[in-house]
Amino acid sequence: MELTKNITLGIYLPGETFVHRLDPRTKIIASVILIVLLLFIRSYEAYGIFLIFTAAVIFISGIPPGFALCGLKPMLPVLVLMWIFQLFLYRTPGSDVIFSWWIFSATDTGLHMGNLITLRVLFLFTVTTILTLTTSMVSLTDGLENLLKPLRKIGLPSQELVMTMVIALRFVLILAEELDKIVKAQMARGVAFDRGNFLQKTKKIFPVFLPLFINAFKRAEELIIAMESRSYTGGKGRTKMKTLHLGRVDLAAGLLIFLFSALIVFIIVSIQPQI
Amino acid sequence: MNLSVRKIVISGILGAISILLGVTRLGFIPVPTPAGHATIMHIPAILGGVLEGPVVGLITGAIFGLFSFLQPGAPFFADPLVSVVPRLFIGVVAFLIYYSTKKINNILACILAGAFGSATNTVLVLGMATWRGYLPPEVSISIGVLHGVPELIVAAVLTVILVKGIQRIRSIEE
């Protein structure tokens, strides 16, 4: 049982490519634009263009494609199941039945809906993975803090919230190692995690959960002391040693994203069928 | 509004556990239904609400929601109205229930907080998914019963065990 093998979240692959050299703010804004676009795309043409775009970004950034997608592996069975689920259960009046068996029947709208939603899931995953693989945690924090600074004016503790997000991302890998150790320790004591029916399997999560949470809380206490003893006070009055600067690459990337989203918006508005 | 270091760190780490349960698929308990599994990824949000108050519960829920939006486990989570918004309430509801019943009995309060927090997740997520048209109402109701009930029981039991465990560790350290 290898739990930590397929985690790509929170990992940064250092590099010197065009994508790596971009200002983190540019990358964050670009990712947000792409995610928003994904929520509105409902046609295969637009997804095709999206695929070419993301493939190009992966190629330019020098991420091994297999590595970028390996985080998807544990999700695949669920995706397939949900696709089948959509295929048979989603229907609107007037849709054609394309396949039927016993009490189940698949409709063309179900197929369309299943495809579109699955594609959306895959692309959402890819966009966020590319962002975290090409941006170091420090610059991601700097970028987010910088972008969310205006929210301070309406009383939202933006810097503190960004810090929370960063702690969460950082600790995923640390806790994953911890979890691996706990699972192995319990297996050495004879717990067979992959055997048994639903009830037996559920019971087996208890001896994993308790140590995991207690260790996590112990780490939290240590981190609190460490941060307090370094006088962390959140964002108020804090200055940076390294400030962010937008360069020529950012202008180029901005233009690219603008053209790309214009194209997608054009497809969404004019070609896409309205459901 | 100001967030203390304590609130920042604890919501961050609980959020990390939520994400971890998602990426390792450990947070999914296989249930023999069409949708495949019940989730326990919302437990950290419940714990955050019970142990540290509504703000931590809210932030942990937000991290959980954001993660399930960006790396969705099921297609209808690829819509922030289904994945993020309902999750904000888990920790807050758990806190309110725990706080109002704590005086009667600590263990009972934990059970109720776990159960209600879990029910909040089930009802709001499925409600939103139905309202947004991803699931037909009758399917939602059957998922709600088939998944919601085991989730609710597991959440209630886990909340008691974890809260008691963590409270004991804390009292020893103090």
Side-chain angles (χ1 to χ4, degrees):
Chain A
M1 201 159 136
E2 273 293 331
L3 287 170
T4 50
K5 214 173 67 186
N6 290 326
I7 299 178
T8 45
L9 200 76
I11 293 179
Y12 165 58
L13 294 180
E16 269 301 311
T17 64
F18 177 76
V19 183
H20 284 87
R21 269 180 295 147
L22 288 176
D23 187 292
R25 287 172 292 179
T26 317
K27 278 189 266 191
I28 294 165
I29 295 176
S31 310
V32 171
I33 292 176
L34 292 182
I35 289 169
V36 172
L37 284 177
L38 274 177
L39 292 181
F40 291 100
I41 294 182
R42 289 217 170 87
S43 63
Y44 296 114
E45 296 90 344
Y47 273 121
I49 296 168
F50 213 96
L51 175 70
I52 296 171
F53 184 79
T54 39
V57 175
I58 291 181
F59 179 73
I60 294 171
S61 60
I63 306 167
F67 186 74
L69 298 176
C70 80
L72 270 176
K73 231 187 279 168
M75 269 161 62
L76 277 182
V78 188
L79 278 181
V80 173
L81 253 173
M82 289 308 290
W83 181 79
I84 296 171
F85 204 54
Q86 287 280 344
L87 177 65
F88 285 104
L89 291 172
Y90 186 85
R91 62 195 55 172
T92 45
S95 50
D96 298 324
V97 174
I98 47 171
F99 170 76
S100 68
W101 174 70
W102 196 32
I103 51 166
F104 303 106
S105 56
T107 57
D108 55 348
T109 44
L111 179 71
H112 184 64
M113 195 72 177
N115 286 347
L116 288 186
I117 291 184
T118 312
L119 282 171
R120 185 191 286 175
V121 171
L122 292 177
F123 279 110
L124 270 176
F125 178 87
T126 319
V127 169
T128 46
T129 309
I130 294 175
L131 175 67
T132 54
L133 281 180
T134 59
T135 319
S136 73
M137 208 52 96
V138 175
S139 41
L140 204 61
T141 323
D142 279 352
L144 268 178
E145 278 185 354
N146 206 300
L147 284 173
L148 296 178
K149 219 178 218 165
L151 292 179
R152 266 209 114 72
K153 293 215 175 79
I154 58 163
L156 214 72
S158 55
Q159 252 111 336
E160 283 88 337
L161 290 177
V162 171
M163 182 53 114
T164 313
M165 280 301 294
V166 172
I167 291 175
L169 277 176
R170 274 272 93 158
F171 269 83
V172 169
L173 283 177
I174 297 174
L175 292 175
E177 270 169 35
E178 196 116 356
L179 180 69
D180 218 32
K181 262 188 231 163
I182 296 168
V183 168
K184 279 182 183 142
Q186 299 291 11
M187 276 161 86
R189 294 183 178 92
V191 182
F193 285 100
D194 42 359
R195 248 178 278 161
N197 59 24
F198 159 63
L199 265 182
Q200 288 165 329
K201 268 189 183 161
T202 312
K203 259 194 224 155
K204 281 171 197 156
I205 60 172
F206 293 113
V208 174
F209 263 55
L210 195 57
L212 177 70
F213 273 86
I214 287 183
N215 281 341
F217 267 83
K218 275 188 185 157
R219 277 181 191 272
E221 298 296 335
E222 282 167 21
L223 185 59
I224 292 167
I225 293 171
M227 281 169 75
E228 275 175 347
S229 60
R230 286 167 181 77
S231 313
Y232 178 82
T233 49
K236 221 187 283 165
R238 203 162 166 226
T239 53
K240 297 269 175 200
M241 192 172 116
K242 288 179 185 161
T243 45
L244 297 168
H245 296 288
L246 292 170
R248 215 173 280 161
V249 272
D250 298 293
L251 189 69
L255 262 174
L256 261 174
I257 283 287
F258 176 75
L259 288 177
F260 174 71
S261 33
L263 181 64
I264 295 280
V265 168
F266 172 74
I267 294 180
I268 291 174
V269 174
S270 60
I271 305 173
Q272 187 161 291
Q274 303 293 329
I275 336 175
Chain B
M1 193 174 89
N2 254 326
L3 276 177
S4 64
V5 175
R6 169 162 215 99
K7 287 195 172 116
I8 297 173
V9 171
I10 301 225
S11 20
I13 290 194
L14 284 172
I17 297 182
S18 247
I19 299 176
L20 179 68
L21 295 178
V23 284
T24 56
R25 319 308 290 172
L26 199 76
F28 299 96
I29 306 168
V31 179
T33 62
H37 48 243
T39 181
I40 39 173
M41 283 172 75
H42 56 299
I43 306 267
I46 297 176
L47 276 187
V50 170
L51 288 167
E52 298 291 333
V55 180
V56 173
L58 183 95
I59 301 173
T60 313
I63 296 175
F64 166 38
L66 212 61
F67 169 76
S68 71
F69 166 57
L70 294 173
Q71 314 243 311
F76 52 80
F77 286 138
D79 180 338
L81 279 177
V82 181
S83 53
V84 182
V85 177
R87 268 64 186 271
L88 300 176
F89 297 95
I90 303 172
V92 181
V93 168
F95 163 76
L96 290 175
I97 299 286
Y98 180 73
Y99 196 76
S100 54
T101 51
K102 198 171 61 177
K103 286 183 199 96
I104 310 170
N105 183 325
N106 192 19
I107 293 179
L108 179 77
C110 291
I111 295 176
L112 287 177
F116 274 91
S118 186
T120 310
N121 182 41
T122 315
V123 172
L124 290 182
V125 167
L126 290 174
M128 267 295 188
T130 316
W131 181 63
R132 298 279 295 159
Y134 297 110
L135 295 172
E138 56 273 28
V139 178
S140 289
I141 292 169
S142 65
I143 296 182
V145 174
L146 284 169
H147 283 190
V149 174
E151 272 174 26
L152 192 140
I153 296 168
V154 174
V157 176
L158 266 177
T159 309
V160 180
I161 297 177
L162 294 173
V163 170
K164 291 299 274 181
I166 290 160
Q167 281 174 344
R168 183 182 294 165
I169 295 284
R170 282 186 175 172
S171 63
I172 291 171
E173 274 172 0
E174 277 159 17

